[in-house]
Amino acid sequence: MSSSVKFRGVSFAYSKGHQVLKDLTFQVRAGQVLAVVGQNGSGKSTIAGLIAGLIKLPKNSGELNIVGRSAIVFQNPDVQVLFDNVEDDIKFVLDNYKVEKSEHARRITDALSLVKMLEFQHSNPLKFSLGQKQRIAIASILALDPEVIIFDEATSSLDSAGKRDVLEIVEALKDKGKTVIMVTNVVDELRIADSVLLLQNGAGTQFDGPSAGAAGVRLTIDALNAAGFALSDFFKLKDYALKGNETARGALELLEQEPTLGKVG
């Protein structure tokens, strides 16, 4: 399977002497879900911005290749929901990207159907709950039919039902062959990831397949100085692994290999 997103030796600094990314290399295959985790300030949102095209990579700072269009869903849906009519909100995005007007109706219907908000097509999103607003923000992005969708901590301000709705959308996007980048510190989101990118001190380590679950366990055990997860999340990952979740299976393998982790469980 070909790579949809590829970083090779990427370095980035916002100001002289403060390097956020250092010689970062990783790739995401088409149709995969990548979870990007790390402490605040570790470069997660910088990676999201680079992939979305919101941040320009300076010359001689490595290679960044994105196959197809990319789009981003932010943490706060209020920055993406602007009008008092759902359809107008999505049309605004389509007009900005110069999508043919003959395509608008189909794209709006498809996007709202995927996020289960079609019945609210002519409603006022400014009166919606935060979770509903986030679904409209996601629909606005999906109407562009991007190949790569970035969720930049898009569930962090949502309640449990809202988080669950977003994860269901991510799984539906994966089924459609879309590539999803999830910037997250929510352990529940690791279970749907095919790959985990752990950022520490500007560098990254990528775990694929079952080993992604092992990475999640390592993160939860090392919560205070790794990615900020709660230690109780360790038990969730154990539960996912016991239930046969592919991403979490590496959790039990890691427990067998690391006696100190086993004591914590």
Side-chain angles (χ1 to χ4, degrees), residues 5 7 23 39 44 49 105 110 149-150 156 188 215 239 246 252:
V5 176
F7 279 55
D23 196 29
Q39 293 178 310
K44 302 188 302 295
D110 289 350
I149 302 104
I150 307 110
S156 61
D188 286 346
D239 185 51
E246 287 297 326
L252 294 184

Side-chain angles (χ1 to χ4, degrees), residues 12 16-17 24 28 35 52 69 79 84 109-111 117 157 161 163 167 169 175 215 217 225 232 251 254 260:
F12 187 86
K16 194 172 182 179
L24 179 64
V28 191
R69 172 177 284 171
V79 304
D84 60 5
T109 297
D110 289 350
M117 291 291 284
S157 58
K163 286 180 169 66
L167 293 186
I169 292 169
D175 290 341
V217 171
N225 51 12
S232 60
L254 184 62
T260 55

